């Protein structure tokens, strides 16, 4: 009940008080608002009357007029909202003020000079308005005060009611105090719990393996964990207040890093929100730099401000492991290079004695009558030598094929049927050794020519046939060759080697194509070799864009099939083609030649000389490169057989010196070497050698060499008969003597390679030459033109050589315009010349 009466009394008291406050507030607000506005306006008018046009005082007058307008608008709005409090006098006052400001507001748009002329009347009007306002306000205040006195009695009565009810309410206030005490106790308990949570979080941070630091938006440290003290060698007292950039090393300048810390707090980029970490470097107190990984997060202080927490990991061990892995990788690469050097050295060291063994056998057959037992023994020696040589060649061939993976394989025309027939004939002795029957079956003609990598095709089939013969005893090995889509330009060749040998289990089929993989131990009674034959075949097939399929039944036999698609090559003159591609044994016996043998190994040199003498050739000997150069410059030889590794001067240096001048400057120089690595071959040819024969040198290899030389001469004659039109067309562009000489010395594939290489060189020289001319570097331009001109002279491109010589002379004269004119002629002329040369070679085959 007390509360009810107290509430009513308070409500009444509140109404009375509100009534009085509303009127007092309204009067005070009106008088203060209008009094302030008009006084400021009068001050501004007075200042402007004494100022010249352009003075800021006029802008002040305009501003005060607008402010008065705003205040009057507020009064007018209040009059409408509190119409019950507005007296007639106050209503008239507000109306007059509205009219007043409406009349004089246009003055704000007048220029200063005109405004100044109206300031006098305007000031008088303001003063009149002020007097009217003052009088009106006096009446308003008197009326409000009378209204307030009437409410005093009601106010006192209500106040008594409040006093009566106040005592009753004290009881309830006591209850409230007790309740507050209980709530305070609960709040304290909650604060204690929060404190424990903070302590737990602090303990987690302090015991973490990562260092934790907290910084403000300026990047200054405000917290530093114990792990951070250990990591950076800095005490917490020394660290607090330092900049974060003092303990890290970044690629960014310190001020830029500092700025980014502030931006991270403000922008909170996605990487920041996702918890990604940065790789930076930490700096210890002693200046030691070490790698760190830093993750960032946001915290809030007790007033709601944002802080940045950084979790820092020392990744020195991880970095060291990565460095160790990198070092291990580098060591592995070095080991790979060492392996290549080892293979090269072993190739040379093993081929040299094998050369003596196998060459002696060939020479024995040529010069000695042997009985059947001796023939049988020599065959055993030859097979063992061939087996040893095959292992060396397989290892080197695998290395060569790996290097060919990244380059295009050269393609030339070849006849697959004669190649297979020759392989079958050469494998006959191995077939007889294991009491096998080896046959070739094909319905394709010997004159069928396709364009592809002859060496790879031969290599694949040789390995497949050899493998079949090794793992078959007293059985049959059948080689077949057929072609699908014979009516089209592209032939799908299918060469199969089927045997009745031991077969292969299904789970071993994929494995046997791996490097150094041999057949299962259960077949250990059979010869398995190094396990590279099928790997080489697979690599070679992939380089030819073909594949090898296998079907096998353990105990019954296996069938390996090479499938490859190759374009057919049209043959216009069968007689010329057969002349150019016949085997060594079908060729005419070569005429006696004057040959120089340059070889430091006495046994190898003796064997080679005896082999050449047995063929009816005249042979001169040189024990090293210097002696060979001396003999070659003093006498003209038909052929020079050059070893590579020799004392005093090696074969590469000797070849370069012979090509400079002397009577044998144009003689064919053939390398006879045990260095069979792919990179060696390029080096030998670049030095000026015409071809490379790999030791051990056999009689059939010499027969093939002489046959190739004979074919070159015959091909040149054939080309002379069938290419009259071509000669007439290209007589001015091609030096016939030079080009025919190259045809005599080189095979068609090698010469095509030289032409392709020059075509590329001529294409590449133009942008380099023009760039050098544009920069005014005529020395560099001359060097490029001169280098390419030498290549044109070597292959006999007469007109191209003349243009390049002109480009050289123009560069010597510094004539940029002449240089550009000659460059414009070169592409078309080069294309026409190369086309003519290739057309000539296509006739030869």
């Amino acid at each position: 009940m007390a509360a009810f009466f107290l509430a009513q009394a308070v409500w009444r008291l509140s109404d009375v008080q509100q009534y009085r406050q509303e009127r007092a507030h309204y009067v005070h607000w009106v008088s203060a608002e209008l009094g302030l506005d008009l006084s400021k306006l009068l001050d501004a008018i007075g200042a402007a009357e004494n100022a010249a046009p352009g003075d800021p005082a006029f802008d002040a007058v305009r501003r005060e007029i607008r402010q008065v307008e705003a205040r009057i608008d507020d009064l007018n709005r209040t009059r409408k909202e509190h119409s019950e409090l507005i007296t007639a006098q106050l209503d008239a006052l507000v109306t007059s003020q509205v009219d007043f400001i409406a009349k004089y507001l246009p003055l704000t748009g007048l220029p200063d000079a005109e405004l100044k002329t109206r300031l006098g009347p305007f000031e008088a009007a303001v003063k009149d308005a002020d007097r009217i306002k003052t009088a009106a306000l006096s009446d308003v205040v008197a009326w409000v005060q009378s209204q307030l006195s009437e409410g005093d009695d009601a106010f006192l009565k209500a106040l008594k009611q409040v006093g009566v009810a106040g005592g009753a309410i004290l009881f309830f206030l006591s209850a409230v105090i007790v309740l507050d005490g209980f709530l305070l106790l609960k709040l304290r308990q909650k604060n204690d719990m929060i404190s424990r949570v903070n302590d737990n979080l602090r303990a987690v941070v302090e015991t973490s393996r990562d260092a934790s630091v907290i910084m403000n938006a300026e990047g200054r440290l405000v917290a530093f964990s114990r792990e951070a003290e250990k990591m950076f060698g800095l005490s917490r007292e020394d660290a607090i207040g330092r900049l974060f950039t003092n303990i890290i090393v970044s690629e960014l300048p310190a001020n830029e890093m500092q700025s980014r810390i502030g931006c991270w707090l403000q922008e909170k980029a996605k990487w920041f929100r996702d918890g990604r970490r940065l790789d930076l470097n930490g700096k210890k107190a002693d200046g030691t730099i070490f790698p760190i990984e830093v993750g960032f997060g946001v915290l809030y202080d007790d007033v709601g401000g944002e802080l940045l927490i950084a979790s820092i990991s020392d990744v020195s061990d991880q970095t060291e492991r990565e460095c160790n892995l990198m070092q291990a990788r580098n060591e592995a690469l070095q080991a790979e290079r060492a392996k290549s050097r080892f293979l090269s050295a072993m190739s040379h060291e093993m081929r040299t004695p094998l050369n003596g063994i196998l060459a002696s056998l060939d020479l024995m057959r040529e010069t000695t009558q042997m009985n059947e037992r001796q023939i049988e023994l020599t065959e055993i020696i030859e097979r063992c030598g061939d087996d040893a040589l095959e292992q060396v060649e397989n290892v080197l061939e695998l290395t060569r094929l790996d290097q060919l993976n990244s380059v295009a394989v050269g393609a030339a025309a070849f006849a697959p049927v004669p190649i297979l027939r020759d392989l079958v004939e050469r494998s006959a002795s191995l077939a007889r050794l294991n009491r096998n029957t080896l046959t070739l079956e094909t319905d394709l003609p010997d004159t069928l020519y396709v364009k592809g990598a002859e060496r790879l095709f031969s290599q694949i089939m040789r390995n497949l046939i050899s493998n079949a013969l090794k793992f078959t005893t007293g059985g049959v090995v059948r080689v077949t060759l057929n072609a699908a889509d014979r009516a089209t330009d592209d032939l799908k060749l299918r060469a199969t080697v089927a045997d009745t040998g031991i077969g292969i289990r299904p789970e071993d089929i994929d494995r046997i194509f791996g490097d150094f993989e041999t057949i299962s131990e259960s077949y250990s009674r059979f010869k398995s070799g190094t396990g590279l034959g099928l790997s080489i075949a697979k690599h070679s097939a992939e380089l030819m864009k073909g594949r090898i399929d296998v079907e096998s039944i353990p105990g019954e036999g296996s069938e390996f099939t090479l499938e490859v698609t190759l374009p057919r090559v049209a043959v216009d003159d069968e007689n010329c083609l057969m002349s150019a591609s016949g085997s060594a044994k079908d060729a005419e016996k070569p005429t006696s030649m004057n040959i120089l043998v340059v070889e430091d190994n006495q046994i190898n040199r003796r064997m080679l000389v005896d082999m050449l003498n047995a063929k009816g050739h005249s042979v001169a000997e040189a024990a090293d490169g210097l002696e060979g150069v001396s003999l070659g410059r003093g006498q003209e030889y038909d052929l020079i057989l050059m070893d590579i590794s020799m004392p005093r001067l090696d074969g590469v240096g000797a070849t370069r010196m012979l090509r400079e001048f002397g009577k044998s400057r144009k003689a064919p120089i053939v390398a006879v070497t045990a260095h069979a690595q792919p990179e060696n071959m390029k080096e030998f040819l670049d030095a000026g050698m015409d071809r490379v024969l790999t030791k051990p040198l056999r009689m059939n290899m010499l027969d093939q060499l002489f046959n190739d030389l004979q074919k070159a001469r015959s091909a040149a004659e054939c080309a002379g008969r069938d290419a009259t039109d071509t000669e007439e067309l290209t007589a001015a562009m091609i030096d016939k003597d030079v080009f025919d000489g190259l045809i005599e010395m080189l095979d068609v594939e090698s010469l095509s390679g030289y032409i392709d290489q020059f075509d590329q060189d001529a294409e590449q020289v133009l942008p380099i030459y023009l760039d050098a001319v544009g920069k005014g570097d005529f020395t560099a331009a001359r060097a490029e033109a001169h280098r390419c001109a030498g290549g044109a002279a070597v292959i006999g491109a007469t007109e191209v050589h003349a243009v390049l010589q002109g480009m050289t002379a123009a560069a010597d004269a510094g004539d940029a315009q002449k240089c550009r004119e000659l460059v414009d002629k070169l592409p078309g002329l080069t294309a026409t010349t190369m086309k003519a040369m290739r057309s000539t070679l296509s006739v030869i085959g």
Side-chain angles (χ1 to χ4, degrees):
M1 188 63 70
F4 174 77
F5 284 113
L6 179 61
Q8 280 196 338
V10 171
W11 184 267
R12 176 61 181 162
L13 183 61
S14 175
D15 288 342
V16 174
Q17 186 64 20
Q18 181 179 0
Y19 181 79
R20 297 180 66 189
Q21 287 178 352
E22 284 179 351
R23 282 152 180 76
H25 175 71
Y26 189 79
V27 171
H28 293 163
W29 177 77
V30 172
S31 63
E33 207 52 20
L34 291 180
L36 176 63
D37 289 345
L38 295 179
S39 62
K40 286 185 178 181
L41 180 58
L42 289 172
D43 292 341
I45 293 172
E49 287 177 337
N50 299 321
D55 191 276
F58 293 93
D59 290 334
V61 172
R62 296 185 183 95
R63 185 168 56 254
E64 290 301 325
I65 293 174
R66 295 190 185 97
Q67 290 180 356
V68 170
E69 178 197 18
R71 303 294 172 82
I72 291 175
D73 287 342
D74 289 341
L75 284 173
N76 194 26
R77 192 162 44 253
T78 303
R79 178 183 62 174
K80 296 177 181 178
E81 294 173 356
H82 302 280
S83 57
E84 73 280 1
L85 301 177
I86 302 301
T87 63
Q89 294 90 342
L90 186 57
D91 185 77
L93 174 62
V94 175
T95 302
S96 66
Q97 295 294 345
V98 171
D99 295 339
F100 165 77
I101 198 62
K103 178 178 180 182
Y104 290 99
L105 183 62
L107 294 179
T108 59
L110 298 177
D112 291 353
E114 187 174 353
L115 177 59
K116 184 173 182 179
T117 61
R118 299 192 182 185
L119 287 178
F122 179 55
E123 182 179 13
V126 171
K127 290 178 179 179
D128 291 341
D130 186 63
R131 285 191 298 270
I132 296 171
K133 178 251 325 175
T134 302
L137 284 178
S138 298
D139 294 339
V140 171
V141 171
W143 177 81
V144 171
Q145 287 177 347
S146 66
Q147 293 294 319
L148 290 176
S149 63
E150 292 176 0
D152 286 344
D153 294 338
F155 178 78
L156 291 174
K157 183 178 180 181
L159 191 58
K160 288 177 182 179
Q161 291 177 354
V162 171
V164 172
I169 206 65
L170 288 176
F171 175 77
F172 297 101
L173 291 179
S174 300
V176 170
I177 291 173
V178 174
L179 181 61
D180 285 344
F182 178 75
L183 293 176
L184 286 174
L185 178 61
K186 290 294 184 182
L187 180 60
R188 182 176 301 170
Q189 292 174 350
K190 185 175 181 180
N191 288 337
D192 290 342
M193 183 179 65
I194 293 173
S195 179
R196 285 195 299 273
V197 171
N198 289 335
D199 291 340
N200 292 338
L201 291 176
R202 187 176 298 105
V204 170
V205 171
E206 292 293 345
T207 57
S208 172
R209 297 179 61 184
D210 288 352
S212 297
V213 300
I214 300 176
M215 69 199 83
N216 57 24
E218 297 177 356
R220 296 194 177 275
L221 302 177
V222 297
F224 207 68
S225 70
R226 278 200 301 268
E227 190 62 32
E229 292 179 313
K230 297 177 184 178
M231 184 179 295
F232 293 96
L234 195 64
S235 68
R236 186 173 306 179
E237 292 74 16
D238 293 336
I240 299 301
R242 289 195 180 198
L243 290 172
F244 181 63
T245 52
N246 289 343
I247 63 171
I248 65 166
V249 178
S250 171
E251 297 179 356
L252 297 173
N255 58 345
E256 176 66 18
M257 189 66 187
Q258 206 67 28
S259 174
R260 291 202 176 190
I261 291 174
C263 291
W264 292 342
L265 273 174
Q266 294 175 6
E267 299 176 2
K268 299 180 182 62
K270 187 177 185 302
W271 74 266
F272 187 82
R273 299 193 308 270
D274 294 344
R276 286 169 49 193
R277 300 172 72 87
L278 298 182
D279 292 324
L280 300 171
N281 287 317
K283 183 169 66 175
K284 295 181 181 291
D286 60 3
T288 304
I289 306 300
F290 62 101
I292 59 175
E293 193 177 72
V294 186
F296 295 94
V298 176
L299 297 178
Y300 297 92
D301 59 19
D302 52 1
V303 295
E306 290 184 334
L307 300 174
L308 192 66
I309 182 171
S311 176
I312 305 171
S313 302
D314 186 345
V315 293
S316 300
D317 293 340
Q318 178 182 343
T319 303
E320 183 178 359
R321 287 194 297 271
E322 291 175 354
C323 291
N324 291 337
L325 289 174
M326 184 63 69
Q327 181 179 357
R329 174 184 174 275
N330 293 336
E331 290 174 355
L333 292 176
Q334 291 176 1
E336 184 69 20
R337 289 191 289 269
K339 183 195 77 172
S340 297
R341 291 193 297 269
F342 169 77
L343 291 176
S344 179
M346 288 302 298
S347 168
H348 183 272
E349 296 304 321
M350 294 182 70
R351 285 174 182 274
T352 298
L354 285 173
N355 182 61
I357 294 171
L358 297 177
S360 297
L361 286 175
D362 286 341
L363 191 59
M364 185 183 297
R365 289 194 184 95
E366 292 284 333
T367 59
T368 305
Q369 292 290 333
M370 295 182 291
N371 57 35
E372 291 184 1
R373 178 58 178 165
Q374 290 170 332
I375 293 174
E376 181 182 359
L377 292 174
T378 56
E379 287 181 350
I380 293 174
I381 296 172
E382 182 178 27
R383 283 197 298 272
C384 292
D386 286 339
D387 287 344
L389 179 61
E390 181 182 2
Q391 308 312 319
V392 175
E393 289 180 342
N394 280 346
V395 173
L396 296 175
E397 184 62 22
L398 189 62
T399 303
R400 189 186 77 86
L401 291 175
D402 287 340
Q403 296 183 7
L404 283 177
N405 281 333
S406 58
V407 298
V409 178
F414 72 93
V417 175
I419 289 175
L420 286 180
R421 183 175 291 109
D422 183 59
L423 289 174
V424 169
E425 290 175 358
R426 282 195 278 172
S427 301
S429 60
L430 180 60
R432 288 193 300 271
L433 181 65
N434 288 344
R435 305 186 310 279
N436 291 319
T437 301
L438 177 62
T439 61
L440 171 64
E441 300 175 4
T442 181
D443 57 353
L444 300 178
D446 288 7
T447 55
L448 173 67
Y449 275 75
V450 293
K451 186 175 183 181
E454 176 183 353
R455 186 174 187 275
L456 296 179
F457 177 79
S458 176
Q459 187 167 254
I460 295 168
M461 299 309 299
R462 182 175 66 251
N463 278 290
L464 295 181
I465 294 172
S466 174
N467 234 38
L469 293 173
K470 286 178 184 178
F471 293 98
T472 303
T473 302
V476 176
V477 176
R478 185 177 69 257
V479 181
T480 60
L481 177 67
N482 53 59
D485 302 328
R486 299 189 187 185
T488 64
D489 291 336
D490 290 336
L491 292 179
K492 186 176 182 180
L493 293 179
R494 180 181 174 88
T496 301
V497 179
D499 64 66
T500 58
I502 62 175
I504 307 168
R505 293 180 302 188
E507 61 267 23
D508 290 332
I509 288 180
D510 291 335
R511 185 178 61 83
I512 61 175
F513 286 100
D515 296 345
F516 300 100
E517 289 285 354
T518 58
I519 203 162
S520 173
E521 293 181 359
S522 61
Y523 306 123
S524 58
R525 67 184 183 275
F526 296 96
K527 179 180 178 182
S528 58
T530 58
L532 288 176
L534 292 179
S535 175
I536 291 172
K538 179 175 180 291
H539 279 68
S540 300
E542 290 172 350
L543 288 172
M544 293 184 71
K545 310 300 183 186
R547 74 173 192 271
I548 296 178
D549 297 326
V550 184
E551 294 182 3
S552 182
I553 301 176
E556 297 185 14
S558 305
E559 182 176 290
F560 289 78
T561 302
L562 167 68
E563 289 190 357
V564 61
T565 301
L566 298 173
R568 183 198 298 266
V569 177
V571 180
D572 295 330
D573 190 336
E574 183 176 339
N575 293 329
C576 285
L577 186 59
M578 292 300 294
S579 175
S581 60
S583 64
K585 65 182 181 181
D586 295 332
E588 296 181 4
K589 183 177 180 179
T591 58
S592 177
M593 301 175 67
N594 188 16
I595 302 174
L596 172 62
V597 174
V598 186
E599 167 68 69
D600 67 311
N601 186 287
Q602 184 176 2
I603 295 177
N604 288 342
R605 187 171 70 250
R606 185 69 264 160
M607 291 297 101
L608 183 55
V609 170
D610 289 345
M611 292 167 72
L612 293 173
N613 286 335
K615 295 292 183 181
H617 300 293
S618 175
V619 185
E621 302 178 42
D624 57 51
L626 285 178
E627 186 178 351
V629 171
S630 176
L631 291 174
R633 285 180 172 176
Q635 181 177 347
E636 181 178 359
Y637 290 96
D638 300 317
L639 174 65
I640 299 176
L641 299 177
M642 180 75 69
D643 186 27
I644 296 299
S645 297
M646 295 182 292
R648 298 206 295 172
L649 181 64
D650 63 15
V652 173
T655 300
R656 290 194 177 104
M657 294 179 68
L658 285 171
R659 290 302 186 204
E660 291 178 358
F661 63 90
K663 293 184 177 181
S664 297
R665 180 171 62 88
K666 296 184 178 180
I669 300 178
V670 177
V672 181
T673 178
H675 293 285
Q677 293 293 79
E679 61 269 20
N680 299 140
M681 302 299 182
K682 184 178 186 303
E683 178 187 3
F684 304 154
L685 296 176
D686 290 344
M689 296 179 176
D690 299 290
R691 62 190 299 175
V692 180
L693 296 180
T694 305
K695 293 179 181 178
L697 201 60
R698 308 294 301 277
M699 277 292 190
N700 63 337
M701 294 171 65
L702 290 176
D703 290 340
Q704 186 63 48
L705 173 64
F706 297 132
N707 184 46
D708 289 344
L709 295 175
Q710 185 70 23
K711 283 193 298 181
R713 295 189 184 95
S714 300
E717 294 175 0
C718 183
R721 292 193 304 271
D722 297 338
T724 305
D725 294 340
T726 303
E727 287 186 356
E728 292 177 356
L729 179 64
T730 62
M733 293 186 294
I734 303 175
D735 187 325
K736 187 176 182 301
D737 293 337
V738 173
F739 195 65
D740 289 348
L742 290 174
I743 293 175
E744 291 180 4
M745 289 187 296
L746 304 176
D747 55 70
V748 173
E749 184 177 356
S750 298
L751 184 51
S752 297
Y754 281 120
I755 293 173
D756 292 341
Q757 183 62 50
F758 175 77
D759 203 358
Q760 295 176 10
D761 290 345
E763 182 179 355
Q764 294 172 358
V765 76
L766 294 181
I768 301 175
Y769 182 84
L770 287 174
D771 183 63
V773 170
K775 294 178 179 177
D777 188 357
F778 291 101
T779 301
R782 184 194 187 283
E784 284 298 316
H786 180 70
R787 179 182 63 80
C788 195
V794 168
I795 64 175
T798 307
E799 288 194 8
V800 173
H801 179 262
V803 172
L804 288 165
Q805 287 288 82
M807 291 166 60
T808 303
D812 288 336
D815 189 344
Q817 182 177 356
K818 184 66 174 178
C819 290
R820 295 187 180 93
E821 291 176 357
L822 291 171
V823 164
D824 292 340
K825 297 180 181 179
L826 187 61
L829 182 60
T830 301
T832 304
T833 305
M834 298 301 103
K835 181 178 179 181
M837 287 183 171
R838 292 188 180 99
S839 176
T840 301
L841 292 180
S842 68
V843 175
I844 298 174

